[in-house]
Amino acid sequence: MHFHFDQLKLLVKKTQLPTIAVVAANDAAVMQALKDASLHVSFKCVLIGDALVIKKLLVKYPLDAEVIHELDLIKMSSLAVELVRKQQADVIMKGLIDTKYLLKAVVDSTSGIKKATVLSHVALLQFPNKYSLIATDCAMNINPDLPTKWALIMNAVMVAKCLKVNQPKVGIVSAVEKVNPKIISTTDAIALKQQHQDSGDTSFLLDGPFAIDNLVSLDAVKHKGINSAVAGIADVLLFPELISANVFYKTSVFLANAIVAGIIVGATVPIILTSRADSALSKMYAILLAMVVSQCN
């Protein structure tokens, strides 16, 4: 994918003063990420959590922020969702809180903000050779069935389009290129391609199954004699299940030195769920990506 993280910095400057609601903001790492992001774009924060701790952190990490004191994890999650429903927040960010509390409020059937059929993790990765791509789903959906895989594609394509990628090329990852009834990802690939053809949606391309080398290497494509508009130049990688996606994600970061920005999409606003293992740079880029996605439609 011909996309560089410097382009993300340019896109985020076009956003209209977004507001980030941070759940359990009494976390120095999160505050540092927000401060780093503020060097590239102006935004507002609503910091929910232990007000005494948050105000001390604001001395070290000054931000344009409103502080809401709340110690109950369930209530602070509900407060963030309520801000979104009232159109007073454009992004939700997880702080020092278990993901389950936050997502329970997001998907609540009466007061939640779930929009798409599936919430999914979308990761934007850039490698040292400047090659970049989107991978899904590296953190949420464990063993997606066909309808879920289609939803993952829709969510990832939406993010790609927000990044101004014209007609995103989606590659369905497997271990082989030939259909094998014993490898579900290959039979699912055929079904997904048929669904794409039946939909008549020409705003993105879809092909597979492919071993991953034939999605990211034109040399591998040439060697195998593969003819596909997606092979070798995929913008989006759809992985068969969470394990392979998560291994790819973490191997890319820790062994291939990729920069990564990951967000949850499928709600009415993007959700930033950073891990303590994420670098400060990745956390900052996740914030920038979420702000761009929040205002691209």
Side-chain angles (χ1 to χ4, degrees), residues 1 103 106-107 113-124 133-141 144-165 168-170 192 195-196 201 203-206 235-239 261-271 289-290 292-294 296-297:
M1 184 165 75
L103 292 185
V106 168
V107 302
I113 53 171
K114 186 178 178 183
K115 180 181 179 182
T117 55
V118 172
L119 294 180
S120 63
H121 182 265
V122 177
L124 173 63
L133 52 80
I134 287 170
T136 194
D137 180 326
C138 305
M140 280 201 72
N141 292 277
D145 58 12
L146 263 175
T148 303
K149 286 182 177 180
W150 182 256
L152 299 183
I153 291 168
M154 293 297 100
N155 286 349
V157 165
M158 179 273 293
V159 173
K161 290 178 179 178
C162 289
L163 298 177
K164 309 304 181 186
V165 178
K169 296 174 284 293
V170 181
L192 289 167
Q195 184 169 355
H196 179 238
D201 188 346
S203 69
F204 70 98
L205 303 178
L206 178 70
D235 301 312
V236 176
L237 302 183
L238 172 72
F239 283 86
I263 59 174
I264 303 296
V265 297
T268 57
V269 300
I271 302 167
L289 176 61
V292 169
V293 171
S294 75
C296 78
N297 294 323

Side-chain angles (χ1 to χ4, degrees), residues 272-295:
I272 306 166
L273 299 181
T274 58
S275 164
R276 289 197 175 274
D278 290 339
S279 69
L281 191 62
S282 289
K283 290 175 181 176
M284 182 199 76
Y285 278 126
I287 294 169
L288 300 186
L289 176 61
M291 286 195 279
V292 169
V293 171
S294 75
Q295 297 193 18

